[in-house]
Amino acid sequence: MPDALRVAVLGAGTVGGAVVRAFLARPDGLVVDGGPRLLLAGVAVRDPSRAIAAGFPHELLTDAPAHLVASPDTDVVVELMGGDEPARTLLTAALEAGKPVVTANKHLIAHHGPALEAAARATSTPLRFEAAVGGGIPVLRPLAGDLAANCVERIRAIVNGTTNYILTAMARDGRGYGDVLADAQAAGYAEADPAADVEGVDAANKLAILARLGFGAWLDPDRIVRRPPSVRGEAPAGITAVTDREVTGAAALGLTLKLVADVSRSAETDAERATDTPGDLAASVVPTALPLEDPLARTSGVRNRIEVRAAPVGSVAFSGPGAGGPATASAVLGDLHAIARGGGSSWAGRTGWPDAAAPLRPPWESADRDWFFLVPSPAVPDTGALGGAAVATASMGDDIAVRVTGASLERVRAALRDGLPPERDVTLYPAEHRRPAA
Ligand code: HSE
Protein backbone atom coordinates (compact mmCIF):
# COMPACT_ATOMS: atom_id res chain seq x y z
CA MET A 1 0.00 0.00 0.00
CA PRO A 2 1.24 3.57 -0.71
CA ASP A 3 1.55 6.20 2.08
CA ALA A 4 -1.59 7.97 0.87
CA LEU A 5 -4.65 7.28 -1.24
CA ARG A 6 -5.95 10.19 -3.31
CA VAL A 7 -9.72 10.36 -3.36
CA ALA A 8 -11.84 11.90 -6.13
CA VAL A 9 -15.37 12.87 -5.13
CA LEU A 10 -18.00 13.03 -7.88
CA GLY A 11 -20.89 15.28 -6.81
CA ALA A 12 -21.08 17.87 -4.04
CA GLY A 13 -24.79 17.91 -3.20
CA THR A 14 -26.27 17.01 0.19
CA VAL A 15 -24.03 13.96 0.80
CA GLY A 16 -21.09 14.89 -1.45
CA GLY A 17 -20.87 18.32 0.18
CA ALA A 18 -20.76 16.72 3.65
CA VAL A 19 -17.98 14.33 2.55
CA VAL A 20 -15.93 17.17 1.03
CA ARG A 21 -16.39 19.26 4.19
CA ALA A 22 -15.16 16.33 6.31
CA PHE A 23 -11.95 16.29 4.23
CA LEU A 24 -11.56 20.07 4.35
CA ALA A 25 -11.85 19.96 8.14
CA ARG A 26 -8.77 17.70 8.22
CA PRO A 27 -6.07 19.36 6.08
CA ASP A 28 -3.68 16.43 6.71
CA GLY A 29 -6.23 13.97 5.38
CA LEU A 30 -8.14 11.19 7.08
CA VAL A 31 -5.72 9.20 9.19
CA VAL A 32 -6.26 5.44 9.15
CA ASP A 33 -4.62 3.20 11.71
CA GLY A 34 -2.84 0.43 9.83
CA GLY A 35 -3.33 1.96 6.38
CA PRO A 36 -2.47 4.92 4.14
CA ARG A 37 -4.01 8.29 4.93
CA LEU A 38 -6.79 9.48 2.65
CA LEU A 39 -6.34 12.78 0.80
CA LEU A 40 -8.86 14.71 -1.27
CA ALA A 41 -7.61 14.80 -4.89
CA GLY A 42 -10.50 16.65 -6.50
CA VAL A 43 -14.23 17.24 -6.65
CA ALA A 44 -16.34 17.01 -9.82
CA VAL A 45 -19.40 19.26 -9.83
CA ARG A 46 -21.91 20.36 -12.43
CA ASP A 47 -21.42 24.06 -11.71
CA PRO A 48 -18.01 25.03 -10.24
CA SER A 49 -19.04 28.66 -9.67
CA ARG A 50 -21.85 27.53 -7.35
CA ALA A 51 -19.44 25.23 -5.49
CA ILE A 52 -16.96 28.12 -5.07
CA ALA A 53 -19.79 30.29 -3.74
CA ALA A 54 -20.59 27.47 -1.28
CA GLY A 55 -17.01 27.71 0.05
CA PHE A 56 -15.24 24.86 -1.77
CA PRO A 57 -11.63 25.68 -2.88
CA HIS A 58 -11.55 26.33 -6.63
CA GLU A 59 -8.29 24.39 -7.10
CA LEU A 60 -10.09 21.14 -6.18
CA LEU A 61 -13.02 21.65 -8.53
CA THR A 62 -13.67 20.40 -12.04
CA ASP A 63 -16.73 19.97 -14.21
CA ALA A 64 -15.13 17.01 -16.02
CA PRO A 65 -15.79 13.88 -13.92
CA ALA A 66 -14.45 11.45 -16.55
CA HIS A 67 -11.06 13.22 -16.52
CA LEU A 68 -10.98 13.13 -12.72
CA VAL A 69 -11.73 9.38 -12.70
CA ALA A 70 -9.05 8.70 -15.35
CA SER A 71 -6.43 10.98 -13.79
CA PRO A 72 -3.22 9.26 -12.62
CA ASP A 73 -3.61 11.40 -9.46
CA THR A 74 -6.84 9.60 -8.52
CA ASP A 75 -6.54 6.33 -6.58
CA VAL A 76 -10.11 5.94 -5.26
CA VAL A 77 -13.43 7.19 -6.69
CA VAL A 78 -16.36 8.28 -4.50
CA GLU A 79 -19.59 8.66 -6.50
CA LEU A 80 -22.28 10.85 -4.94
CA MET A 81 -23.97 12.20 -8.06
CA GLY A 82 -26.90 9.80 -7.94
CA GLY A 83 -28.98 8.58 -10.87
CA ASP A 84 -28.06 6.26 -13.70
CA GLU A 85 -25.77 7.96 -16.22
CA PRO A 86 -23.07 9.18 -16.21
CA ALA A 87 -22.56 7.43 -12.83
CA ARG A 88 -22.70 3.92 -14.33
CA THR A 89 -20.13 4.63 -17.05
CA LEU A 90 -17.81 6.46 -14.66
CA LEU A 91 -17.87 3.70 -12.01
CA THR A 92 -17.43 0.94 -14.58
CA ALA A 93 -14.38 2.79 -15.94
CA ALA A 94 -12.95 3.18 -12.43
CA LEU A 95 -13.41 -0.52 -11.62
CA GLU A 96 -11.93 -1.58 -14.96
CA ALA A 97 -8.91 0.61 -14.20
CA GLY A 98 -8.55 -1.09 -10.78
CA LYS A 99 -9.58 2.02 -8.81
CA PRO A 100 -11.68 1.18 -5.74
CA VAL A 101 -15.16 2.71 -5.73
CA VAL A 102 -17.39 3.98 -2.92
CA THR A 103 -20.94 5.02 -3.76
CA ALA A 104 -24.19 5.98 -2.03
CA ASN A 105 -26.14 5.46 -5.27
CA LYS A 106 -28.89 2.97 -4.38
CA HIS A 107 -30.58 3.27 -7.79
CA LEU A 108 -27.33 2.40 -9.55
CA ILE A 109 -26.41 -0.53 -7.30
CA ALA A 110 -29.95 -1.96 -7.28
CA HIS A 111 -30.36 -1.73 -11.08
CA HIS A 112 -26.84 -2.49 -12.25
CA GLY A 113 -25.51 -4.49 -9.29
CA PRO A 114 -24.82 -7.68 -11.26
CA ALA A 115 -22.74 -5.88 -13.93
CA LEU A 116 -20.88 -3.72 -11.42
CA GLU A 117 -20.19 -6.75 -9.21
CA ALA A 118 -18.83 -8.59 -12.27
CA ALA A 119 -16.60 -5.62 -13.16
CA ALA A 120 -15.28 -5.41 -9.58
CA ARG A 121 -14.63 -9.16 -9.45
CA ALA A 122 -12.89 -9.15 -12.86
CA THR A 123 -10.20 -6.76 -11.62
CA SER A 124 -10.35 -7.72 -7.90
CA THR A 125 -11.21 -4.10 -7.12
CA PRO A 126 -13.31 -3.16 -4.06
CA LEU A 127 -16.81 -1.79 -4.66
CA ARG A 128 -18.41 -0.48 -1.46
CA PHE A 129 -21.90 0.98 -0.95
CA GLU A 130 -22.67 1.09 2.78
CA ALA A 131 -24.21 4.57 2.38
CA ALA A 132 -26.75 3.26 -0.15
CA VAL A 133 -28.90 1.67 2.58
CA GLY A 134 -29.86 3.15 5.94
CA GLY A 135 -27.92 6.43 5.62
CA GLY A 136 -25.48 6.47 8.52
CA ILE A 137 -26.47 3.07 9.94
CA PRO A 138 -23.75 0.43 9.63
CA VAL A 139 -25.84 -2.46 8.28
CA LEU A 140 -24.35 -3.87 5.08
CA ARG A 141 -20.99 -4.62 6.66
CA PRO A 142 -22.47 -6.56 9.62
CA LEU A 143 -24.97 -8.31 7.34
CA ALA A 144 -22.42 -9.53 4.80
CA GLY A 145 -19.48 -9.85 7.19
CA ASP A 146 -20.29 -10.59 10.83
CA LEU A 147 -23.46 -12.49 9.86
CA ALA A 148 -22.01 -14.15 6.74
CA ALA A 149 -22.09 -17.61 8.32
CA ASN A 150 -25.81 -17.24 9.09
CA CYS A 151 -28.66 -18.39 6.92
CA VAL A 152 -30.93 -15.35 6.61
CA GLU A 153 -34.68 -16.04 6.77
CA ARG A 154 -36.20 -12.57 6.73
CA ILE A 155 -35.21 -8.90 6.50
CA ARG A 156 -37.88 -6.43 7.59
CA ALA A 157 -37.09 -2.75 7.52
CA ILE A 158 -37.97 0.90 7.40
CA VAL A 159 -35.43 2.22 4.91
CA ASN A 160 -36.93 5.45 3.63
CA GLY A 161 -36.60 8.45 5.91
CA THR A 162 -38.86 10.72 3.86
CA THR A 163 -41.92 8.46 4.03
CA ASN A 164 -41.29 7.62 7.66
CA TYR A 165 -41.03 11.34 8.44
CA ILE A 166 -44.34 11.91 6.63
CA LEU A 167 -46.22 9.00 8.24
CA THR A 168 -44.86 9.92 11.69
CA ALA A 169 -46.04 13.52 11.34
CA MET A 170 -49.45 12.41 9.97
CA ALA A 171 -49.98 10.12 12.97
CA ARG A 172 -48.65 12.63 15.52
CA ASP A 173 -50.08 15.91 14.22
CA GLY A 174 -53.00 14.79 12.05
CA ARG A 175 -51.52 16.60 9.02
CA GLY A 176 -52.00 15.58 5.39
CA TYR A 177 -49.05 14.11 3.54
CA GLY A 178 -48.52 16.78 0.89
CA ASP A 179 -48.01 19.33 3.62
CA VAL A 180 -45.45 17.22 5.49
CA LEU A 181 -43.61 16.20 2.30
CA ALA A 182 -42.61 19.84 1.82
CA ASP A 183 -40.92 19.78 5.27
CA ALA A 184 -39.01 16.58 4.43
CA GLN A 185 -37.79 18.12 1.16
CA ALA A 186 -36.67 21.29 2.94
CA ALA A 187 -34.70 19.19 5.45
CA GLY A 188 -32.74 17.53 2.58
CA TYR A 189 -34.16 14.01 3.10
CA ALA A 190 -36.15 13.57 -0.10
CA GLU A 191 -34.81 12.40 -3.46
CA ALA A 192 -34.48 14.93 -6.30
CA ASP A 193 -37.78 13.52 -7.53
CA PRO A 194 -39.79 12.79 -4.37
CA ALA A 195 -42.00 10.34 -6.31
CA ALA A 196 -39.18 7.83 -5.79
CA ASP A 197 -39.69 8.18 -2.02
CA VAL A 198 -43.48 8.25 -1.73
CA GLU A 199 -44.05 5.52 -4.35
CA GLY A 200 -41.64 3.16 -2.60
CA VAL A 201 -39.07 3.07 -5.43
CA ASP A 202 -36.19 4.21 -3.19
CA ALA A 203 -37.08 1.63 -0.52
CA ALA A 204 -37.36 -1.12 -3.16
CA ASN A 205 -33.87 -0.27 -4.42
CA LYS A 206 -32.55 -0.55 -0.87
CA LEU A 207 -34.40 -3.83 -0.32
CA ALA A 208 -32.79 -5.27 -3.47
CA ILE A 209 -29.37 -4.35 -2.05
CA LEU A 210 -30.19 -5.86 1.36
CA ALA A 211 -31.37 -9.03 -0.39
CA ARG A 212 -28.04 -9.38 -2.23
CA LEU A 213 -26.12 -9.08 1.03
CA GLY A 214 -28.52 -11.24 3.04
CA PHE A 215 -29.55 -13.90 0.52
CA GLY A 216 -26.77 -13.74 -2.10
CA ALA A 217 -29.06 -12.92 -5.03
CA TRP A 218 -29.75 -9.71 -6.91
CA LEU A 219 -33.50 -9.06 -7.14
CA ASP A 220 -34.94 -7.02 -9.97
CA PRO A 221 -36.08 -3.92 -8.01
CA ASP A 222 -38.83 -3.30 -10.57
CA ARG A 223 -40.43 -6.65 -9.64
CA ILE A 224 -40.64 -5.86 -5.92
CA VAL A 225 -44.33 -5.32 -5.07
CA ARG A 226 -45.02 -1.65 -4.18
CA ARG A 227 -48.81 -1.59 -4.45
CA PRO A 228 -50.81 -2.93 -1.52
CA PRO A 229 -53.75 -5.10 -2.53
CA SER A 230 -57.25 -3.67 -2.59
CA VAL A 231 -60.68 -5.28 -2.70
CA ARG A 232 -60.89 -4.83 -6.47
CA GLY A 233 -57.21 -5.17 -7.40
CA GLU A 234 -54.32 -2.99 -6.31
CA ALA A 235 -54.06 0.36 -4.54
CA PRO A 236 -51.67 3.13 -5.73
CA ALA A 237 -47.97 2.61 -5.04
CA GLY A 238 -46.20 3.32 -1.75
CA ILE A 239 -47.80 5.80 0.63
CA THR A 240 -49.37 7.97 -2.07
CA ALA A 241 -52.93 6.91 -1.23
CA VAL A 242 -52.64 6.65 2.57
CA THR A 243 -55.26 8.99 4.06
CA ASP A 244 -55.40 10.87 7.36
CA ARG A 245 -58.53 8.84 8.20
CA GLU A 246 -56.74 5.52 7.68
CA VAL A 247 -53.89 6.72 9.91
CA THR A 248 -56.38 7.77 12.61
CA GLY A 249 -58.40 4.54 12.22
CA ALA A 250 -55.26 2.44 12.61
CA ALA A 251 -54.36 4.32 15.80
CA ALA A 252 -57.86 3.62 17.20
CA LEU A 253 -57.06 -0.11 16.86
CA GLY A 254 -53.59 0.16 18.42
CA LEU A 255 -51.84 0.11 15.02
CA THR A 256 -49.63 2.45 13.04
CA LEU A 257 -49.03 2.51 9.28
CA LYS A 258 -45.38 2.35 8.18
CA LEU A 259 -43.78 1.79 4.78
CA VAL A 260 -42.22 -1.61 5.48
CA ALA A 261 -39.69 -3.25 3.17
CA ASP A 262 -39.84 -7.00 3.61
CA VAL A 263 -37.98 -9.89 2.00
CA SER A 264 -38.15 -13.46 3.17
CA ARG A 265 -37.11 -16.86 1.98
CA SER A 266 -39.34 -19.87 1.91
CA ALA A 267 -37.46 -22.64 3.66
CA GLU A 268 -39.58 -25.38 5.11
CA THR A 269 -36.97 -27.83 6.34
CA ASP A 270 -33.65 -27.61 8.19
CA ALA A 271 -31.93 -28.96 5.08
CA GLU A 272 -33.43 -26.16 2.96
CA ARG A 273 -32.57 -23.61 5.63
CA ALA A 274 -28.93 -24.77 5.62
CA THR A 275 -28.54 -24.58 1.84
CA ASP A 276 -26.27 -21.98 0.39
CA THR A 277 -28.58 -20.93 -2.44
CA PRO A 278 -31.08 -18.08 -2.28
CA GLY A 279 -34.23 -20.14 -2.93
CA ASP A 280 -37.60 -18.53 -3.57
CA LEU A 281 -37.95 -15.05 -2.13
CA ALA A 282 -41.02 -12.91 -1.44
CA ALA A 283 -40.39 -9.17 -1.47
CA SER A 284 -42.62 -6.14 -0.95
CA VAL A 285 -42.49 -2.47 0.00
CA VAL A 286 -46.00 -1.48 1.10
CA PRO A 287 -47.64 0.45 3.93
CA THR A 288 -48.11 -2.10 6.69
CA ALA A 289 -50.14 -1.86 9.90
CA LEU A 290 -47.90 -2.54 12.88
CA PRO A 291 -48.94 -2.98 16.51
CA LEU A 292 -47.82 0.12 18.42
CA GLU A 293 -45.50 -1.97 20.61
CA ASP A 294 -43.59 -3.31 17.58
CA PRO A 295 -40.09 -1.73 17.48
CA LEU A 296 -40.61 -0.86 13.80
CA ALA A 297 -43.78 1.04 14.78
CA ARG A 298 -41.73 3.04 17.27
CA THR A 299 -39.18 4.07 14.63
CA SER A 300 -40.03 7.72 14.10
CA GLY A 301 -39.16 10.57 11.79
CA VAL A 302 -36.18 10.15 9.52
CA ARG A 303 -34.80 7.21 11.51
CA ASN A 304 -34.49 3.85 9.79
CA ARG A 305 -34.50 0.37 11.32
CA ILE A 306 -33.42 -2.88 9.69
CA GLU A 307 -34.21 -6.21 11.35
CA VAL A 308 -32.57 -9.46 10.29
CA ARG A 309 -33.84 -12.87 11.33
CA ALA A 310 -31.24 -15.54 10.69
CA ALA A 311 -29.95 -18.88 11.93
CA PRO A 312 -28.13 -19.47 14.15
CA VAL A 313 -28.04 -15.88 15.50
CA GLY A 314 -31.81 -15.29 15.96
CA SER A 315 -32.96 -11.70 15.46
CA VAL A 316 -30.74 -8.63 15.31
CA ALA A 317 -31.66 -5.03 14.52
CA PHE A 318 -29.85 -1.92 13.31
CA SER A 319 -31.31 1.54 13.73
CA GLY A 320 -30.24 5.15 13.38
CA PRO A 321 -30.34 8.16 11.05
CA GLY A 322 -31.43 6.93 7.61
CA ALA A 323 -30.96 10.10 5.56
CA GLY A 324 -29.30 13.51 5.59
CA GLY A 325 -25.86 14.69 4.51
CA PRO A 326 -23.70 14.30 7.65
CA ALA A 327 -25.17 10.89 8.63
CA THR A 328 -24.75 9.47 5.13
CA ALA A 329 -21.24 10.96 4.84
CA SER A 330 -20.32 8.88 7.90
CA ALA A 331 -21.02 5.68 5.94
CA VAL A 332 -19.04 6.94 2.91
CA LEU A 333 -16.05 7.80 5.10
CA GLY A 334 -16.31 4.41 6.83
CA ASP A 335 -16.08 2.69 3.44
CA LEU A 336 -13.00 4.78 2.60
CA HIS A 337 -11.41 3.69 5.88
CA ALA A 338 -12.21 0.07 5.02
CA ILE A 339 -10.53 0.43 1.62
CA ALA A 340 -7.42 1.97 3.20
CA ARG A 341 -7.24 -1.02 5.54
CA GLY A 342 -7.44 -3.48 2.66
CA GLY A 343 -11.14 -4.36 3.09
CA GLY A 344 -12.80 -5.82 0.02
CA SER A 345 -16.25 -5.17 -1.42
CA SER A 346 -19.53 -4.69 0.46
CA TRP A 347 -20.62 -8.28 -0.20
CA ALA A 348 -17.63 -9.40 1.92
CA GLY A 349 -18.14 -13.06 2.79
CA ARG A 350 -21.64 -13.43 1.34
CA THR A 351 -21.40 -15.74 -1.67
CA GLY A 352 -23.34 -14.44 -4.64
CA TRP A 353 -24.98 -15.52 -7.85
CA PRO A 354 -24.58 -12.21 -9.66
CA ASP A 355 -25.86 -13.60 -12.94
CA ALA A 356 -28.96 -15.35 -11.63
CA ALA A 357 -32.08 -13.31 -10.98
CA ALA A 358 -33.68 -14.89 -7.93
CA PRO A 359 -37.23 -16.20 -8.35
CA LEU A 360 -39.76 -13.96 -6.59
CA ARG A 361 -43.03 -15.18 -5.06
CA PRO A 362 -46.04 -12.89 -4.56
CA PRO A 363 -45.95 -11.74 -0.93
CA TRP A 364 -49.62 -12.44 -0.16
CA GLU A 365 -49.79 -16.00 -1.41
CA SER A 366 -49.44 -17.49 2.05
CA ALA A 367 -52.72 -18.74 3.41
CA ASP A 368 -53.81 -16.66 6.37
CA ARG A 369 -52.45 -13.35 7.64
CA ASP A 370 -53.63 -10.16 9.33
CA TRP A 371 -55.17 -7.16 7.56
CA PHE A 372 -56.20 -3.58 8.32
CA PHE A 373 -58.68 -1.47 6.33
CA LEU A 374 -61.25 1.29 6.54
CA VAL A 375 -64.72 0.51 5.09
CA PRO A 376 -68.16 2.14 5.03
CA SER A 377 -70.15 0.84 8.04
CA PRO A 378 -72.57 -1.40 6.09
CA ALA A 379 -69.65 -3.28 4.46
CA VAL A 380 -68.00 -4.50 7.69
CA PRO A 381 -67.53 -8.26 7.37
CA ASP A 382 -68.33 -10.55 10.28
CA THR A 383 -66.29 -13.42 11.60
CA GLY A 384 -68.51 -15.92 9.78
CA ALA A 385 -67.86 -14.32 6.37
CA LEU A 386 -64.16 -14.39 7.16
CA GLY A 387 -64.06 -18.11 7.90
CA GLY A 388 -63.76 -17.62 11.65
CA ALA A 389 -60.99 -14.98 11.59
CA ALA A 390 -61.09 -12.56 14.56
CA VAL A 391 -62.38 -9.06 13.74
CA ALA A 392 -61.70 -5.91 15.78
CA THR A 393 -63.40 -2.64 14.85
CA ALA A 394 -63.33 1.06 15.73
CA SER A 395 -65.99 3.52 14.64
CA MET A 396 -64.85 6.45 12.46
CA GLY A 397 -68.18 8.19 11.78
CA ASP A 398 -69.53 6.79 8.49
CA ASP A 399 -66.59 4.42 8.23
CA ILE A 400 -65.32 1.63 10.41
CA ALA A 401 -61.63 0.79 10.94
CA VAL A 402 -61.20 -2.99 10.86
CA ARG A 403 -58.45 -5.33 11.86
CA VAL A 404 -58.73 -8.96 10.75
CA THR A 405 -56.55 -11.61 12.33
CA GLY A 406 -55.85 -14.70 10.26
CA ALA A 407 -57.57 -14.62 6.84
CA SER A 408 -56.39 -15.07 3.26
CA LEU A 409 -56.50 -12.14 0.84
CA GLU A 410 -59.11 -13.88 -1.28
CA ARG A 411 -61.38 -14.47 1.69
CA VAL A 412 -61.14 -10.81 2.80
CA ARG A 413 -61.88 -9.63 -0.74
CA ALA A 414 -64.87 -11.97 -1.04
CA ALA A 415 -66.25 -10.85 2.32
CA LEU A 416 -66.06 -7.15 1.36
CA ARG A 417 -66.85 -7.07 -2.34
CA ASP A 418 -70.64 -7.27 -2.17
CA GLY A 419 -71.07 -4.71 0.60
CA LEU A 420 -69.07 -1.96 -1.12
CA PRO A 421 -70.65 0.65 -3.41
CA PRO A 422 -69.57 -0.15 -7.00
CA GLU A 423 -67.50 3.03 -7.31
CA ARG A 424 -65.61 2.46 -4.08
CA ASP A 425 -62.42 0.44 -3.59
CA VAL A 426 -60.71 -0.20 -0.26
CA THR A 427 -56.99 -0.67 0.34
CA LEU A 428 -56.17 -3.85 2.25
CA TYR A 429 -53.05 -3.16 4.29
CA PRO A 430 -51.11 -6.20 5.47
CA ALA A 431 -50.83 -6.15 9.27
CA GLU A 432 -48.22 -7.70 11.51
CA HIS A 433 -49.23 -10.13 14.23
CA ARG A 434 -49.33 -8.67 17.69
CA ARG A 435 -46.39 -10.21 19.52
CA PRO A 436 -47.20 -12.15 22.66
CA ALA A 437 -46.41 -10.22 25.86
CA ALA A 438 -42.86 -10.98 27.03
N1 HSE B 1 -34.63 9.93 0.07
C1 HSE B 1 -33.95 8.98 0.90
C2 HSE B 1 -34.76 8.79 2.18
C3 HSE B 1 -32.57 9.49 1.23
O1 HSE B 1 -35.68 9.58 2.42
O2 HSE B 1 -34.50 7.84 2.92
C4 HSE B 1 -31.68 8.48 1.88
O3 HSE B 1 -31.43 7.38 1.06
Side-chain angles (χ1 to χ4, degrees):
M1 275 274 190
D3 292 343
L5 286 176
R6 295 157 302 174
V7 178
V9 177
L10 313 182
T14 305
V15 180
V19 169
V20 171
R21 275 184 218 100
F23 273 104
L24 296 177
R26 299 168 176 87
D28 295 332
L30 303 185
V31 178
V32 178
D33 190 19
R37 75 180 54 221
L38 295 153
L39 301 172
L40 186 58
V43 184
V45 293
R46 228 186 320 231
D47 181 352
S49 57
R50 265 181 66 189
I52 291 166
F56 297 137
H58 67 90
E59 64 275 13
L60 286 173
L61 299 172
T62 173
D63 60 3
H67 285 120
L68 189 57
V69 168
S71 164
D73 295 330
T74 291
D75 300 310
V76 179
V77 174
V78 174
E79 185 271 314
L80 302 165
M81 312 162 96
D84 207 293
E85 290 293 358
R88 175 157 71 130
T89 301
L90 292 168
L91 295 198
T92 304
L95 292 169
E96 286 173 354
K99 298 183 181 185
V101 164
V102 175
T103 178
N105 191 333
K106 49 264 162 124
H107 167 90
L108 188 72
I109 296 295
H111 285 83
H112 303 293
L116 290 168
E117 179 171 345
R121 287 183 184 274
T123 53
S124 300
T125 304
L127 167 61
R128 300 190 69 95
F129 40 88
E130 181 67 62
V133 180
I137 306 169
V139 58
L140 301 188
R141 182 138 62 152
L143 180 58
D146 304 296
L147 297 173
N150 277 258
C151 189
V152 175
E153 295 159 6
R154 184 182 187 193
I155 300 174
R156 189 183 79 132
I158 290 173
V159 279
N160 184 267
T162 301
T163 47
N164 205 46
Y165 183 94
I166 293 170
L167 292 173
T168 302
M170 285 173 76
R172 191 190 51 216
D173 309 331
R175 294 166 68 195
Y177 105 55
D179 180 23
V180 190
L181 172 60
D183 288 357
Q185 285 175 292
Y189 302 145
E191 297 300 298
D193 175 6
D197 294 300
V198 295
E199 293 180 6
V201 174
D202 177 74
N205 287 340
K206 291 165 177 168
L207 190 64
I209 297 170
L210 286 167
R212 163 63 187 91
L213 299 192
F215 297 97
W218 288 105
L219 304 185
D220 176 353
D222 297 330
R223 289 186 54 220
I224 293 174
V225 173
R226 292 184 288 109
R227 293 177 181 273
S230 69
V231 171
R232 305 195 192 282
E234 288 178 330
I239 70 163
T240 54
V242 174
T243 65
D244 318 8
R245 288 178 62 71
E246 287 169 331
V247 169
T248 310
L253 291 169
L255 300 168
T256 192
L257 287 170
K258 295 287 193 185
L259 187 68
V260 175
D262 195 342
V263 57
S264 59
R265 188 168 90 127
S266 59
E268 304 296 331
T269 64
D270 283 348
E272 278 176 4
R273 272 187 277 277
T275 113
D276 219 11
T277 56
D280 279 5
L281 300 173
S284 59
V285 174
V286 293
T288 303
L290 304 171
L292 292 173
E293 65 272 19
D294 187 317
L296 269 194
R298 289 191 266 112
T299 301
S300 336
V302 74
R303 289 180 76 76
N304 285 188
R305 179 181 173 91
I306 300 105
E307 300 176 345
V308 179
R309 196 177 69 212
V313 71
S315 290
V316 291
F318 309 88
S319 75
T328 311
S330 162
V332 171
L333 297 168
D335 271 350
L336 285 172
H337 265 249
I339 285 169
R341 281 184 285 108
S345 294
S346 282
W347 48 84
R350 186 70 70 186
T351 319
W353 292 265
D355 299 329
L360 269 179
R361 283 180 290 118
W364 340 115
E365 75 174 9
S366 66
D368 290 347
R369 57 169 311 144
D370 295 3
W371 301 95
F372 162 76
F373 45 85
L374 196 67
V375 284
S377 321
V380 175
D382 62 19
T383 297
L386 288 164
V391 179
T393 59
S395 177
M396 300 282 301
D398 292 343
D399 289 335
I400 304 274
V402 182
R403 177 201 171 90
V404 173
T405 304
S408 70
L409 174 60
E410 281 323 306
R411 193 175 283 271
V412 174
R413 279 180 168 154
L416 287 172
R417 206 173 278 127
D418 293 342
L420 277 184
E423 71 288 355
R424 175 106 186 240
D425 199 2
V426 162
T427 305
L428 302 173
Y429 295 103
E432 283 281 344
H433 262 311
R434 208 172 288 277
R435 294 178 189 198

